[in-house]
Amino acid sequence: MNNEAIKDSSAVGRSWEEVRKEIFTSEEIAESNLRVALIGEIIKARQEKGISQKKLEELSGVKQPIIARMEKGSTSPQLDTILKVLAPLGKTLAIVPLEQK
Amino acid sequence: MNNEAIKDSSAVGRSWEEVRKEIFTSEEIAESNLRVALIGEIIKARQEKGISQKKLEELSGVKQPIIARMEKGSTSPQLDTILKVLAPLGKTLAIVPLEQK
DNA sequence: CAAGGTAATAACTTTTGAGTATAATAAAAT
DNA sequence: ATTTTATTATACTCAAAAGTTATTACCTTG
């Protein structure tokens, strides 16, 4: 995706959020939001422990570039990868009810 | 993996669990257990709703064969795939503390 | 402004999951 | 009982994530 074009959308009078709604379905947006929120929690958990990506590579066995891509949201990581990264942070995944607002 | 050989391990006096501990690290076993537990919850959620894999394909956009393999535990699905499947079941993923026993 | 660690990116190979089509199995119905 | 019909599993191709290695920004701090 072209990030320059995205930033420039404001130049033609529309916010990125407006453009986004035209390009993606509401399901895609909802899912993307969930993904971003989950990844955000992983980043927070890592930073709260004061652990670098390199250190987390040692602890989890997942390579630093993978962790970087995962945190940047440029991949949709596999379940195993997420679980490996979460374990040394003292976290795991759980299935919970979806509350819609 | 050869399931016949696994079942036959009892014939030489060792349980599958014993053999498993020799083949895999404790981290791998813990992760696998988590994965199985999570997948189990997805299967349960689907069956409680009385929805077939085919129907869930319609609702989630994830193809039936993917759902089948996911439930069989023969793949480690991507985060997107899990979220897509969970959404129509009224569920989502959350990061929770890992309690060890 | 060097030196250190940290995170991001890139290029490339290997591995594995997703998509497609089809087959096997199970359940219903006649 | 055998012919649908629904449901789940398999085989194959293609796309994408993981792994590998190296490099490059990015900061902070001496």
Side-chain angles (χ1 to χ4, degrees):
Chain A
M1 198 184 280
N2 186 336
N3 284 306
E4 294 309 314
I6 291 167
K7 282 171 191 159
D8 284 353
S9 66
S10 60
V12 291
R14 298 187 302 170
S15 71
W16 162 233
E17 275 304 320
E18 286 176 293
V19 176
R20 192 185 186 214
K21 277 177 192 159
E22 287 172 24
I23 301 174
F24 303 106
T25 68
S26 60
E27 287 78 14
E28 284 171 331
I29 292 177
E31 180 204 313
S32 169
N33 286 342
L34 281 174
R35 212 175 93 177
V36 169
L38 274 171
I39 299 300
E41 282 192 67
I42 297 177
I43 298 174
K44 217 181 70 186
R46 179 175 67 81
Q47 290 175 343
E48 277 171 1
K49 285 223 162 194
I51 293 173
S52 71
Q53 292 180 354
K54 186 69 193 157
K55 185 77 193 167
L56 190 53
E57 164 180 319
E58 285 174 42
L59 298 173
S60 69
V62 175
K63 299 292 171 184
Q64 179 268 325
I66 313 293
I67 298 173
R69 286 192 293 221
M70 180 168 146
E71 291 191 354
K72 278 221 80 190
S74 48
T75 62
S76 179
Q78 290 175 215
L79 180 54
D80 280 2
T81 308
I82 301 174
L83 291 176
K84 277 189 218 159
V85 165
L86 283 178
L89 300 173
K91 308 268 175 167
T92 191
L93 286 177
I95 293 175
V96 298
L98 178 67
E99 89 287 352
Q100 48 256 14
K101 31 191 147 182
Chain B
M1 199 184 280
N2 186 337
N3 286 307
E4 294 309 316
I6 291 166
K7 282 171 191 161
D8 284 354
S9 65
S10 61
V12 290
R14 297 186 303 168
S15 71
W16 163 235
E17 276 304 321
E18 287 176 295
V19 176
R20 193 185 186 214
K21 277 177 191 157
E22 287 172 23
I23 300 174
F24 303 105
T25 68
S26 61
E27 287 79 14
E28 284 170 331
I29 292 177
E31 181 202 312
S32 169
N33 286 341
L34 281 174
R35 214 176 89 177
V36 168
L38 276 171
I39 300 301
E41 283 192 67
I42 297 177
I43 298 174
K44 217 181 70 188
R46 178 175 69 81
Q47 291 176 343
E48 277 172 1
K49 287 221 162 194
I51 294 173
S52 70
Q53 292 178 354
K54 186 68 192 159
K55 186 75 192 168
L56 190 52
E57 163 179 320
E58 285 174 41
L59 299 173
S60 69
V62 174
K63 300 293 170 185
Q64 176 271 322
I66 302 344
I67 298 173
R69 286 189 296 219
M70 182 167 142
E71 292 191 353
K72 280 211 79 185
S74 50
T75 62
S76 179
Q78 291 175 215
L79 180 53
D80 280 1
T81 307
I82 302 174
L83 292 177
K84 278 189 219 158
V85 166
L86 284 178
L89 299 173
K91 310 266 174 164
T92 191
L93 287 177
I95 293 174
V96 297
L98 177 68
E99 88 289 353
Q100 48 254 16
K101 33 195 148 183

